[in-house]
């Protein structure tokens, strides 16, 4: 039962362009959403989050958009840089003690 | 100076064996977690401990037994290993009790292969 879905296993984007990673969720009780980034042979690292009371949160090159009616969020990275090549996990929580992760999307930034 | 460390990084063992994975955090955090990332790449929580007390136990087989000797350590012991236990196991920690919103800091993972 996938409550957090990342339907694109991979994405390739030209350096300097915008990367858009998408995430859908099914549990309407989710009220907090996070993005984690993971390099090979390392653990995930926190990137950015958004509360359900907002529809946008921005941190430097990273912006997360939340569309509650569509149960959809997206991570925008602009401009994309080579160091952004990684696996990006979308995650959500329902105000309790745990985070539910998606399967991840592998982002390749092309030179 | 590693914030969340796990040992070993790789573990290859035979079915039926018992093994342990150790985790230590030097961040002064109160809450620690174990996650399993299986072959389908899902990263799923197994356990969380707050200050040595079990908070979350996600219907994990009782062959898996977490042990927290102090709030800086959360070890994972697995009895009678099965092929399906092969996965990457991540330890994590967070400053407060709210694992749902606190930023979690992950260790590098332990790749367990059961033959």
């Amino acid at each position: 039962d996938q409550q957090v879905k990342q339907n694109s296993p991979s994405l390739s984007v030209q350096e300097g362009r915008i990367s858009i990673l998408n995430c859908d969720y099914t549990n309407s009780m989710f009220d907090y959403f996070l993005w984690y980034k993971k390099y090979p042979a390392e653990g995930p690292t926190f990137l950015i989050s958004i509360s359900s009371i907002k529809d946008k949160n921005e941190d430097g090159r990273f912006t997360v958009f939340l569309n509650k009616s569509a149960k959809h969020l997206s991570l925008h990275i602009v401009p994309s840089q080579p160091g952004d090549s990684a696996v990006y996990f979308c995650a959500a929580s329902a105000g309790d003690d745990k985070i539910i992760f998606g399967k991840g999307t592998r982002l390749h930034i092309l030179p | 100076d590693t914030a969340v460390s796990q040992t070993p990084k790789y573990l290859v063992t035979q079915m039926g064996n018992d093994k342990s994975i150790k985790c230590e955090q030097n961040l002064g955090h109160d809450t620690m977690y174990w996650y399993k990332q299986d072959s389908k790449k899902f990263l799923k929580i197994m356990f969380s401990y707050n200050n040595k007390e079990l908070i979350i136990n996600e219907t994990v087989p009782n062959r898996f037994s977490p042990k927290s000797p102090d709030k800086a350590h959360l070890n994972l012991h697995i009895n009678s290993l099965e092929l399906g236990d092969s996965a990457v196991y991540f330890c994590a920690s967070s400053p407060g009790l709210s694992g749902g919103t606190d930023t979690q800091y992950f260790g590098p993972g332990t790749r367990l292969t059961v033959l």
Side-chain angles (χ1 to χ4, degrees), chain A residues 2 32 34 36 38 41-44 46 89 93 96-99 101 103, chain B residues 9 35 37 40 42-43 55-56 58 90 97 99-101 103-104 106-107:
Chain A
Q2 288 185 56
Y32 196 76
L34 311 94
Y36 277 77
K38 183 184 180 304
E42 295 183 11
F46 172 75
F89 289 98
S93 68
D96 56 8
D97 299 325
K98 66 184 180 186
I99 294 173
F101 283 88
K103 288 173 68 170
Chain B
K9 196 166 176 64
Y35 286 86
Q37 186 179 29
K40 295 180 181 177
F42 280 108
L43 191 60
I55 303 297
I56 293 175
E58 282 290 299
F90 289 97
L97 183 58
T101 54
T103 296
Q104 295 187 22
F106 283 80

Side-chain angles (χ1 to χ4, degrees), chain A residues 2-20:
Chain A
Q2 288 185 56
Q3 298 186 65
V4 177
K5 301 179 185 180
Q6 294 178 258
N7 292 320
S8 298
S10 67
L11 175 68
S12 294
V13 174
Q14 208 76 35
E15 183 179 352
R17 308 292 281 265
I18 183 170
S19 296
I20 301 176

Side-chain angles (χ1 to χ4, degrees), chain A residues 4 10 15 22 35 39 42 48 51-52 58 60-61 65 67-68 73 81 84-85 88 92 98 105-106 110:
Chain A
V4 177
S10 67
E15 183 179 352
N22 293 304
W35 286 92
Y39 291 120
E42 295 183 11
I48 192 169
S51 163
S52 61
E58 190 172 351
R61 297 185 298 112
F65 295 92
N67 182 335
K68 289 185 289 292
L73 64 154
Q81 297 176 355
D84 297 331
S85 293
Y88 289 80
K98 66 184 180 186
T105 295
R106 184 177 297 278
L110 306 171

Side-chain angles (χ1 to χ4, degrees), chain B residues 45-85:
Chain B
I45 189 166
M46 300 173 69
F47 302 100
S48 76
Y49 269 72
N50 177 265
N51 212 0
K52 302 196 297 175
E53 183 179 337
L54 180 65
I55 303 297
I56 293 175
N57 181 340
E58 282 290 299
T59 59
V60 175
N62 56 17
R63 298 183 295 103
F64 290 78
S65 53
K67 287 184 172 50
S68 183
D70 55 62
K71 77 172 194 176
H73 295 84
L74 181 61
N75 303 322
L76 184 65
H77 189 76
I78 315 170
N79 288 330
S80 304
L81 278 155
E82 300 177 357
L83 293 176
D85 298 332

